[in-house]
Amino acid sequence: MNILMALSQLEVTGAEVYATTVGNALTERGHQIFYVSDTLTKPTLGPVFTLKFNKRSLLRRFWHVFYLIYLIKRHHIQLVHAHSRASGWSSYIACKLTGTPMITTVHGRQPVHASRKAFHALGARAVAVCEDIAKQIVDNLGVAPSIVQVLRNGVETDKFQPMPAPANPKPVIAIIGRLSGPKGELCYRLLDEVLDLDTYQVKVVSGSPLLARFLRFQDQVEFVGYVDDIPALMSQCDLVIGAGRVAVESLLCGRPVFAVGEAKAIGLVTEQNLAEALASNFGDIGPSDLVIDFAALQGQLVSALASKRVPETIRQRIQDEYGLPRIISGLESIYQDAVVETLRREMPIIMYHRFIEQDNEKGVHGTWLPIKMFEWHLRLMKWLGYETLTFGDLADKGFIHRLQYGKKYLMITADDGYQDNLTRMLPLLEKYGYKAVVYVVTGEQYNRWDVEHPSNPDAPVALMNGAQIKALAATGHVEIGGHTLTHSRLSKLSPEQQAYEIRENKRQLEALVGYPLLSFAYPYGDMNDSAREQAIQAGYRFAVATNSGPKAIHQDPYQIRRIAIFPRTDAFGLWRKIRGNYVFRK
């Protein structure tokens, strides 16, 4: 995808570190990431554009919107990811005018006023970096809970390894954060009211210019400035004071953290208060009326310095919560939510069954299509510029691959495994350079479930035998999927029967085709929770239904919607079904 990261800042902030860290990781996954900000210090793998979001006059805001529209059009931006109020406001207007999906990561407590309540300007999704932020924007700003999701800061956890405690003759305490705004006020009060500057060696680490009021501490405090190698700095410290990302990185390094943020003082992070620390982003977010008792922090600091290491259980929890691969995958899912729901478009997955050449081959259940019409379908797909994907493609590249800029994708599936899939469908797939997924029943020789239908019995139609299944899979144009042994209605079976139908069918097919099957199709689209669980336990990564499941296919990989193709689906009917908005219009 082509994604624009929008920030507003005049100095290094946690939002910048977040945006550039996840942006670079997204670039490495194949996305095109662009950045627009007042300033940007951290290195990026994508181009950076300068826009003075901090200039907020009405005329300037019009310019911001105009320039964002230019960037969106010029670089084919598919989604804007905002990281601040100022950039978010302008991005919201630009996205509305261009129809571009947008999300916002909310990094801190939001101001509450009437205009903010009426005009959230957050986009399709609000990503909160902790639970307290999520609660605040829902409770105080009236943001709909359905668009709010907690996803923590992404941290390159492998760069922060546990370190032994230093042997300092004098305890070394580092305060890491900005010297401006609320964090600057916090730092000043810690120096002025809490820390004994004669007893401790205090380092203040910040990219902010040294403000005049801090000059009085220069003889007793080392103002380090901006530091690139944070782990090296932390290795020298007996205790780190900070919040948010600072606390996370220190804990990963095995250095004790005294969590104090703009709104809350957690104190020494322990196993007992870790949940509270995570929920508040290590003190950054809390009730608006909470007042930190700085006097009480003095005694807590003394006991905190006695802690020489971070328990491994805390480090593991931090790795699990903040690991960058997990966060990037979470963001990719949110991006897909925003794109599919905003544009009301989804990659069509169309479902065929069997193909006929003569009228006497027609059946009573509408699961057939004239092979000549199927060729018209393929011609239309080719003329419209569609390419086909299989579940093998999605397993390799992720669901988000279907949203690649400049591409039009669809998926062709065929159920049951009729012999005409080999003799009639395959030659046309080869002719037009397309791929399909064929779901095969292995415990029957013909469509017995139709022939023995209690009210509408059909004529028998031959299914593929083992040699034919193997031949079809070997062409490279067809991916084989499971479809049970006997085409049973799974919801009518016991869990044990479901497991046998699904697993034995999978075992037989894998023995034939020589590779692990990735996807399964519920016969009739009929399923329940137990059938879903049996598909998972069988080792399938995907399962397709028919008219059930979320409209966005990535939201439930075990209940993926498909669009049925019927005998009367002519070329115009197919066009309606593959435009991308069909499941939203039904």
Side-chain angles (χ1 to χ4, degrees):
M1 288 183 64
N2 296 342
I3 301 160
L4 178 65
M5 299 284 184
L7 302 89
S8 173
Q9 57 181 31
L10 296 177
E11 57 186 286
V12 180
T13 64
E16 175 184 340
V17 178
Y18 172 100
T20 54
T21 299
V22 301
N24 288 338
L26 286 163
T27 300
E28 290 171 353
R29 287 199 182 187
H31 301 282
Q32 294 289 322
I33 309 298
F34 304 82
Y35 303 83
V36 59
S37 179
D38 304 81
T39 63
L40 213 58
T41 302
K42 303 295 288 184
T44 68
L45 298 177
V48 179
F49 304 96
T50 300
L51 189 58
K52 301 297 183 182
F53 285 115
N54 64 303
K55 306 291 186 181
R56 301 184 186 184
S57 68
L58 185 59
L59 187 60
R60 281 282 189 170
R61 292 204 173 194
F62 274 116
W63 166 246
H64 298 163
V65 171
F66 174 80
Y67 188 66
L68 287 168
I69 291 173
Y70 164 76
L71 291 178
I72 289 169
K73 297 290 188 180
R74 174 70 177 81
H75 298 286
H76 309 294
I77 299 300
Q78 295 172 270
L79 178 135
V80 174
H81 185 167
H83 297 272
S84 65
R85 292 189 297 274
S87 66
W89 190 94
S90 300
S91 296
Y92 184 83
I93 301 297
C95 288
K96 280 293 184 182
L97 292 174
T98 58
T100 305
M102 171 188 165
I103 74 163
T104 300
T105 292
V106 186
H107 295 271
R109 187 177 182 86
Q110 300 296 289
V112 179
H113 45 72
S115 62
R116 188 66 171 164
K117 288 183 178 181
F119 187 57
H120 301 142
L122 296 173
R125 287 288 185 277
V127 182
V129 297
C130 68
E131 288 80 358
D132 284 359
I133 291 177
K135 186 175 188 304
Q136 191 246 337
I137 62 176
V138 170
D139 293 348
N140 299 145
L141 295 183
V143 178
S146 60
I147 74 163
V148 179
Q149 183 168 338
V150 173
L151 190 66
R152 306 200 190 282
N153 279 308
V155 177
E156 295 170 289
T157 55
D158 59 321
K159 293 185 177 181
F160 300 91
Q161 299 300 322
M163 304 167 178
N168 294 316
K170 191 175 182 180
V172 175
I173 299 175
I175 304 174
I176 304 178
R178 295 197 303 275
L179 297 182
S180 59
K183 281 188 168 62
E185 177 65 20
L186 171 65
C187 180
Y188 184 86
R189 295 194 66 179
L190 287 169
L191 295 175
D192 189 46
E193 303 175 36
V194 179
L195 294 168
D196 184 341
L197 302 181
D198 294 322
T199 302
Y200 309 128
Q201 181 183 346
V202 178
K203 298 173 182 283
V204 174
V205 183
S206 176
S208 303
L210 188 61
L211 302 179
R213 65 174 177 165
F214 287 97
L215 295 178
R216 58 178 285 231
F217 302 114
Q218 272 190 306
D219 293 338
Q220 296 172 289
V221 173
E222 183 183 356
F223 289 92
V224 177
Y226 181 76
V227 172
D228 271 321
D229 193 348
I230 289 292
L233 172 86
M234 290 177 173
S235 69
Q236 307 166 16
C237 299
D238 295 278
L239 188 68
V240 173
I241 299 178
R245 194 180 197 91
V246 170
V248 171
E249 293 174 353
S250 182
L251 291 170
L252 288 169
C253 287
R255 307 314 308 129
V257 169
F258 198 82
V260 185
E262 296 177 18
K264 206 171 189 179
I266 305 295
L268 180 70
V269 177
T270 65
E271 293 176 87
Q272 287 69 41
N273 63 20
L274 180 59
E276 178 189 5
L278 291 170
S280 66
N281 202 24
F282 297 91
D284 258 352
I285 310 301
S288 58
D289 57 352
L290 184 66
V291 177
I292 296 175
D293 184 354
F294 284 89
L297 297 183
Q298 289 180 322
Q300 295 178 37
L301 266 173
V302 174
S303 59
L305 280 164
S307 176
K308 297 298 182 183
R309 65 180 184 84
V310 174
E312 184 58 28
T313 51
I314 292 181
R315 283 196 74 258
Q316 189 58 55
R317 176 75 181 277
I318 297 298
Q319 285 183 317
D320 293 343
E321 295 272 351
Y322 292 87
L324 191 57
R326 174 181 176 273
I327 301 303
I328 297 305
S329 295
L331 274 178
E332 286 186 323
S333 180
I334 292 168
Y335 290 165
Q336 293 171 79
D337 291 340
V339 170
V340 172
E341 292 171 14
T342 301
L343 303 181
R344 295 177 66 81
R345 290 285 189 275
E346 182 51 282
M347 180 185 79
I349 302 178
I350 53 178
M351 175 179 63
Y352 296 94
H353 287 79
R354 64 186 183 92
F355 303 94
I356 67 170
E357 291 181 338
Q358 308 294 331
D359 284 351
N360 61 8
E361 298 178 84
K362 293 178 179 179
V364 298
H365 293 143
T367 56
W368 50 272
L369 187 79
I371 193 65
K372 290 182 179 179
M373 182 55 67
F374 180 61
E375 182 163 15
W376 273 107
H377 286 184
L378 298 183
R379 284 182 181 175
L380 178 64
M381 294 175 200
K382 185 66 73 173
W383 183 73
L384 292 173
Y386 280 98
E387 299 177 41
T388 51
L389 294 179
T390 67
F391 283 108
D393 298 315
L394 296 181
D396 288 341
K397 301 173 183 177
F399 276 116
I400 202 167
H401 175 69
R402 76 193 191 281
L403 302 180
Q404 185 178 358
Y405 176 76
K407 296 289 188 178
K408 295 171 69 175
Y409 290 120
L410 58 73
M411 186 181 293
I412 298 171
T413 68
D415 283 12
D416 303 338
Y418 293 99
Q419 288 185 5
D420 56 64
N421 290 181
L422 174 66
T423 58
R424 296 170 181 172
M425 181 184 76
L426 175 62
L428 291 178
L429 293 176
E430 293 174 328
K431 178 179 178 180
Y432 290 93
Y434 280 150
K435 299 181 290 186
V437 182
V438 174
Y439 294 105
V440 178
V441 172
T442 55
E444 304 287 356
Q445 295 180 332
Y446 62 94
N447 56 331
R448 185 170 60 84
W449 56 92
D450 285 335
V451 173
E452 298 178 4
H453 194 281
S455 58
N456 288 304
D458 213 335
V461 182
L463 300 174
M464 288 184 288
N465 59 33
Q468 291 168 322
I469 295 168
K470 188 174 182 178
L472 184 64
T475 65
H477 284 270
V478 172
E479 177 181 297
I480 300 297
H483 202 39
T484 73
L485 286 171
T486 63
H487 205 277
S488 301
R489 289 190 177 273
L490 291 172
S491 67
K492 306 297 183 183
L493 304 182
S494 69
E496 293 75 21
Q497 291 171 316
Q498 292 173 343
Y500 180 71
E501 282 276 344
I502 294 171
R503 294 187 185 193
E504 180 58 19
N505 169 248
K506 184 172 187 284
R507 186 195 66 77
Q508 292 177 9
L509 287 171
E510 289 178 342
L512 287 170
V513 302
Y515 57 74
L517 268 58
L518 292 170
S519 66
F520 171 77
Y522 304 102
Y524 309 101
D526 175 65
M527 63 171 295
N528 55 16
D529 289 344
S530 175
R532 171 196 173 91
E533 183 59 28
Q534 295 304 331
I536 295 171
Q537 293 301 318
Y540 283 114
R541 293 181 58 179
F542 311 95
V544 295
T546 51
N547 291 322
S548 64
K551 293 180 174 64
I553 65 175
H554 69 280
Q555 292 174 348
D556 186 349
Y558 291 96
Q559 196 173 2
I560 295 173
R561 281 179 177 261
R562 291 188 293 170
I563 301 169
I565 303 300
F566 299 107
R568 294 184 180 180
T569 305
D570 57 13
F572 177 74
L574 180 76
W575 174 77
R576 289 179 59 249
K577 291 186 174 186
I578 64 174
R579 289 181 63 196
N581 63 349
Y582 184 76
V583 296
F584 294 91
R585 296 173 59 246
K586 286 182 65 178

